[in-house]
Amino acid sequence: MPRRDAPEQDDPATPFPLISDISAARWLLVFIIAAAAYFFHGFLVPVLAATIIAFASWPLSRSVQRGLGIDRTATAALFVLVIVLFLVVPIAMALLYAFRELQQWISWVFAVNAYGAPAPVWMTELPQIGDWIDEQWARHVGRPGAIAELVQLTSGSTIASIYRSVLAAGNVAFHLALNLLFMLIALFVFYRDGDRIAGQIDVVGARILPRRWERLSRVVPLTISATVTGMALIAMGEGVILGIAYWIAGVPSPVTLGVITGIMALVPGGAPLCFTLVSIYLVASGSTLAGVALFLWGSIELFVVDKTIRPVLVGGPVKMPFLPTFFGLVGGVKTMGIVGLFVGPVLMALLVAIWREWLREIRTHPQNP
């Protein structure tokens, strides 16, 4: 005689579920993840920036904590304060000053468009091409209204609308400040609870990739640290050093050119292109000694950085080719703005590192699935 509490497997009256418990749980998880991505996608950029900074400075933060004998909360507050004073404030001041210089350039463009202007003397005195430049300048730039016609032809917009767009770009300062605040808050949490967060990620990662997670999880922080140190910090240093050199050489708008050089230094060959063009400008405008001195100084500084400082700082698993670096920079700026200058190359470095790890594993264990 069957037990009363035993389930009746073949009872036609028992309803058969349309969706199993596992399928319902999976669809619920997908819905929650999609909802979270929709509501919190605006926090992605500051959190990524905080993650990159925390990874790059994590060993130093632990060393400072042990050396000073303070707790994690005090260490997190100290490092956030240092980053604000020595990274955020100088970059903000440099960008603000560069924007003011850019406004002077725009005012000059409006004056030339309204009243016309002859070609600069240093352009017309260039050997072989000076006369051609003078002719093209008079045709496309020098006469009143020529710049507006050129802008209309190339972009489909009027020069006034572009100027209004540039001025309206100042309205995004509030959003940038808000993202910066979110980044600093996330950075404080990462410094304070980084060990706990990393442990939880290791548990989930070992479940998803049981054979590969241990090695990949060690490559990721090394890759991020090497990329930030070898690309971002060195690029900012080159921008500052060459910006000072521009100022000493008497180049107009040295801060703006220094910022441009620092951004271009993220791309292999970008910094040499910048100081070479500035040196050519100085030589063509009559400052031959200053132009030659600037070119020699930039070449020596770049040689020292690339041959001594960068290999020591980078090392590790990252030797980024040109194409992934370029795609990471352009894609990062297009997607995330200024923060993308750092996030894009780091993501590309991670992809390259993971790809190399997979290739190494396939060559070492060709029979493994």
Side-chain angles (χ1 to χ4, degrees), residues 87-102:
L87 187 63
V88 175
V89 172
I91 291 178
M93 293 179 63
L95 290 177
L96 181 61
Y97 195 88
F99 183 74
R100 291 178 180 175
E101 292 183 346
L102 183 61

Side-chain angles (χ1 to χ4, degrees), residues 95-111 163 166-170 253 256:
L95 290 177
L96 181 61
Y97 195 88
F99 183 74
R100 291 178 180 175
E101 292 183 346
L102 183 61
Q103 284 184 319
Q104 296 177 1
W105 291 1
I106 296 175
S107 300
W108 176 82
V109 169
F110 266 83
Y163 181 67
V166 172
L167 293 180
S253 305
T256 301

Side-chain angles (χ1 to χ4, degrees), residues 282-353:
L282 288 173
V283 173
S285 60
S287 303
T288 305
L289 180 60
V292 173
L294 176 63
F295 181 79
L296 292 177
W297 168 251
S299 301
I300 295 172
E301 181 265 340
L302 192 67
F303 177 81
V304 172
V305 169
D306 286 343
K307 299 302 180 183
T308 59
I309 300 178
R310 193 188 299 270
V312 173
L313 292 178
V314 177
V318 182
K319 300 295 181 184
M320 282 286 288
F322 169 77
L323 199 58
T325 303
F326 181 76
F327 284 165
L329 176 65
V330 176
V333 173
K334 182 179 179 181
T335 306
M336 301 179 181
I338 296 177
V339 179
L341 289 174
F342 307 98
V343 177
V346 166
L347 292 180
M348 291 303 298
L350 291 179
L351 290 177
V352 171

Side-chain angles (χ1 to χ4, degrees), residues 127-142:
Q128 304 298 328
I129 61 173
D131 294 337
W132 180 83
I133 291 178
D134 189 22
E135 179 182 352
Q136 298 300 318
W137 180 282
R139 179 183 303 174
H140 300 290
V141 178

Side-chain angles (χ1 to χ4, degrees), residues 194-217:
D195 291 330
R196 187 183 310 168
I197 297 173
Q200 295 175 359
I201 294 176
D202 280 338
V203 171
V204 177
R207 183 66 179 270
I208 298 174
L209 298 172
R211 291 192 234 175
R212 301 180 176 91
W213 177 254
E214 183 176 358
R215 186 169 66 253
L216 289 178
S217 64

